Amino acid sequence: MELADFEFKRERKLGEFVQDFINLLKMIIGHLGKVMFKMLSLPICGMLLVGYYLSTQFNMQVNYSSGELFRVISSLLTAFGLMFVIGTLAFGFAIEYFIILRDRRRLDFDEKDVWQQFRENLGKYFRFLIAAIIVAILAFIPLSILVFACMFVPFVGSIAMGVLFAIVGLWFFTAFMLYREGYYELIDTFNGAYGLLKSKIFEYGLASYVVSFLFQSLLYLISLMPTVIIGLIAYNSVGFNENFFETSFGKILVSVGGSVMTIFFIVYNMLSVLSYGIIYETGKEMVFGENVFERITKIGRRSGA
């Protein structure tokens, strides 16, 4: 399948969501990886330096005082905060990448086009982030009740919890896209997103959960063997003793580990945008029917016309 032939705007069933996600990923994975790496190489290197700094804070031979323990915890929180910021940037860049890809149906763009479009809409990202935080606070109690109820259902409860989180993530993504593309004002976009998704909200959530489970499993399999190998090398060379973080290998391991976690977080956000984007386009087509005129113009035309 050529990228020009890929239909973003069409109705899909569960199996078609998964298949189209895989088809789209196969067509763009090289280009997407190259563009995103160029845009995020400096933040990833910054995370490498933060990881090295963290490795200098650990000393298993020291009984930390309250002040030293606070410094270590603050450093860890800073590292996780930086990783979250990088992941959020990756999410925004991936959204703009998806919009350009959908509109052009070609790979004739680069990181400059993505950055320019992201910069032009930066104000919308900040305004939506503030609104999303407020909505998340308001939704915390009902969502907590649902999650708590799912915890008491063996096996099925964990799947239901995953689908629930997928629905919430899809809802926020759809709300932003509707606001980003001018369908609704910020104050109305969350209601608009619910209206777009509500007819098939469980099916959309299940599709998002299945796709998310697939690439989480893939990332886990990819990282499993390197983790085991590095762990065995570390154990056989220096051992996990109280001097581990003072060795050069220990510092390198912590530094590289922080960067690898950041890369996985970036990849996860990129793939989430693709899966959410396909579902969003499907829901938008069912509600707005934007390509109905495209279909009319193709009626009666031969494939080579």
Side-chain angles (χ1 to χ4, degrees), residues 177-227:
M177 289 295 286
L178 291 174
Y179 173 62
R180 161 69 177 77
E181 298 194 287
Y183 289 97
Y184 292 98
E185 294 297 328
L186 184 59
I187 194 171
D188 299 318
T189 190
F190 287 95
N191 286 333
Y194 175 74
L196 188 144
L197 299 172
K198 67 178 181 180
S199 62
K200 291 190 174 183
I201 192 165
F202 180 77
E203 183 178 342
Y204 292 154
L206 183 60
S208 177
Y209 171 74
V210 170
V211 172
S212 175
F213 178 79
L214 288 176
F215 59 72
Q216 281 182 22
S217 300
L218 179 62
L219 289 176
Y220 174 75
L221 291 175
I222 291 174
S223 62
L224 180 61
M225 287 307 297
T227 301

Side-chain angles (χ1 to χ4, degrees), residues 68-125:
E68 292 172 335
L69 186 61
F70 177 78
R71 188 185 72 250
V72 172
I73 294 176
S74 299
S75 300
L76 284 171
L77 292 176
T78 301
F80 281 112
L82 178 60
M83 188 169 66
F84 176 78
V85 170
I86 296 173
T88 303
L89 281 175
F91 199 78
F93 293 156
I95 287 175
E96 299 303 329
Y97 180 98
F98 178 82
I99 292 174
I100 296 174
L101 182 73
R102 180 203 62 192
D103 293 342
R104 295 190 183 184
R105 294 176 179 271
R106 296 188 305 274
L107 298 177
D108 59 345
F109 60 93
D110 56 19
E111 66 280 357
K112 294 179 182 177
D113 299 301
V114 176
W115 171 250
Q116 180 180 357
Q117 196 157 288
F118 177 79
R119 187 178 58 183
E120 290 174 355
N121 294 279
L122 191 59
K124 289 186 176 180
Y125 281 90

Side-chain angles (χ1 to χ4, degrees), residues 284-300:
K284 192 172 67 170
E285 170 61 19
M286 293 183 65
V287 173
F288 299 111
E290 291 193 333
N291 68 343
V292 65
F293 297 107
E294 275 183 37
R295 294 177 180 176
I296 291 173
T297 58
K298 291 180 180 178
I299 293 177

Side-chain angles (χ1 to χ4, degrees), residues 298 300-305:
K298 291 180 180 178
R301 290 190 179 184
R302 293 174 298 177
S303 59

Side-chain angles (χ1 to χ4, degrees), residues 15-77:
E16 292 174 319
F17 279 118
V18 178
Q19 187 59 55
D20 281 352
F21 170 78
I22 295 173
N23 290 340
L24 181 61
L25 185 61
K26 288 192 297 185
M27 287 186 284
I28 69 170
I29 184 63
H31 184 261
L32 174 62
K34 182 175 69 174
V35 169
M36 297 300 289
F37 178 77
K38 287 181 178 179
M39 299 187 75
L40 295 168
S41 55
L42 286 178
I44 292 172
C45 291
M47 193 64 199
L48 185 66
L49 295 176
V50 171
Y52 179 79
Y53 172 76
L54 283 177
S55 69
T56 64
Q57 303 299 303
F58 295 110
N59 189 336
M60 301 175 75
Q61 292 180 310
V62 174
N63 293 322
Y64 289 106
S65 64
S66 58
E68 292 172 335
L69 186 61
F70 177 78
R71 188 185 72 250
V72 172
I73 294 176
S74 299
S75 300
L76 284 171
L77 292 176

Side-chain angles (χ1 to χ4, degrees), residues 234-270:
Y235 181 78
N236 291 324
S237 60
V238 296
F240 291 112
N241 53 39
E242 58 187 13
N243 297 316
F244 177 73
F245 292 109
E246 296 182 1
T247 64
S248 298
F249 189 86
K251 296 180 186 299
I252 292 173
L253 189 62
V254 173
S255 304
V256 174
S259 298
V260 170
M261 287 179 60
T262 304
I263 291 173
F264 283 165
F265 194 39
I266 290 171
V267 172
Y268 180 84
N269 285 341
M270 286 164 38

